[in-house]
Amino acid sequence: MKQTNHSVGYLMRLVVMSTEAAINKHARDHGLRIEEIWVLFRVLAKENLTVGELAAETAIERSTLSRVLTRMEAKRLVVKQRLHADQRIVRIRLTDKGRLLARARHPTFRDYEALLVRGIGAEEVRKLKAMLMRMVANAGMIAPDDVEGVSLPLIKGASTKGRNRRTFRPAGPQPP
């Protein structure tokens, strides 16, 4: 790739797009989509997450996550369980089939991180992750008025001033 002065955001987007394309190709080979992979791995790591917690853990919008979970239920990979005490709360758990698939595929998808950081030392990777976490926090502080004339995603609670923009909600730990 020719050396140019690309912005940090553009370069991060290229990394994400390239990684997601590779993961999606592999996921499709198993009849899955990338969002389903994220859900499998998050629920494997933390059983009985609520839908809201799972949305935050996977950075998938709740409306999208609802459709993903419906597809995964139809494939018998997850089960949605309502709490008896509060029927509004839905917890997600893996079925035996979902757990087996997640465990079998997890090492393959973990290899993508190894490929991304190939040739970068462990200390550099640690620093990179720390810097990225700071950038996620910084992005949470950006409001649309901070940059004049640039279309930025809205942060929850920020004023839209009549503009129709997507809401960006920084999430916790990202999927593998």
Side-chain angles (χ1 to χ4, degrees):
M1 180 181 214
K2 182 180 154 189
Q3 190 73 322
T4 59
N5 290 329
H6 293 301
S7 71
V8 171
Y10 174 76
L11 293 171
M12 288 189 316
R13 185 68 186 138
L14 282 180
V15 169
V16 169
M17 288 172 54
S18 299
T19 305
E20 285 183 352
I23 290 173
N24 255 329
K25 181 186 179 313
H26 192 86
R28 277 192 302 271
D29 293 343
H30 299 282
L32 299 171
R33 298 179 185 180
I34 193 167
E35 297 89 354
E36 294 167 332
I37 294 293
W38 293 343
V39 168
L40 282 174
F41 294 156
R42 286 294 96 202
V43 179
L44 180 65
K46 284 184 172 179
E47 278 279 343
N48 291 315
L49 290 170
T50 66
V51 174
E53 292 166 340
L54 187 56
E57 290 277 333
T58 58
I60 300 173
E61 291 287 331
R62 285 182 102 157
S63 59
T64 302
L65 181 59
S66 178
R67 289 187 300 276
V68 169
L69 291 170
T70 298
R71 279 195 315 266
M72 293 180 76
E73 253 190 327
K75 294 175 185 179
R76 302 196 188 321
L77 298 173
V78 298
V79 173
K80 294 188 268 188
Q81 294 180 318
R82 293 196 180 276
L83 290 184
H84 294 295
D86 187 346
Q87 291 289 302
R88 296 171 299 172
I89 298 175
V90 177
R91 295 205 176 270
I92 308 302
R93 69 175 182 80
L94 295 176
T95 62
D96 289 341
K97 178 181 176 182
R99 188 172 291 103
L100 285 170
L101 180 60
R103 286 182 179 150
R105 299 286 33 117
H106 198 266
T108 303
F109 289 103
R110 274 289 191 208
D111 291 345
Y112 285 102
E113 181 170 332
L115 288 171
L116 287 173
V117 299
R118 184 175 45 204
I120 302 173
E123 182 59 20
E124 288 176 297
V125 170
R126 188 195 64 72
K127 286 180 182 178
L128 174 62
K129 286 181 177 182
M131 287 187 282
L132 289 170
M133 291 303 290
R134 284 196 336 237
M135 290 173 75
V136 167
N138 290 344
M141 292 184 267
I142 296 172
D145 296 332
D146 289 345
V147 181
E148 192 62 34
V150 175
S151 180
L152 293 175
L154 287 179
I155 305 307
K156 188 176 181 181
S159 168
T160 62
K161 293 198 175 182
R163 292 176 228 151
N164 184 12
R165 296 190 190 154
R166 221 175 107 216
T167 302
F168 172 74
R169 293 180 190 93
Q174 297 297 304

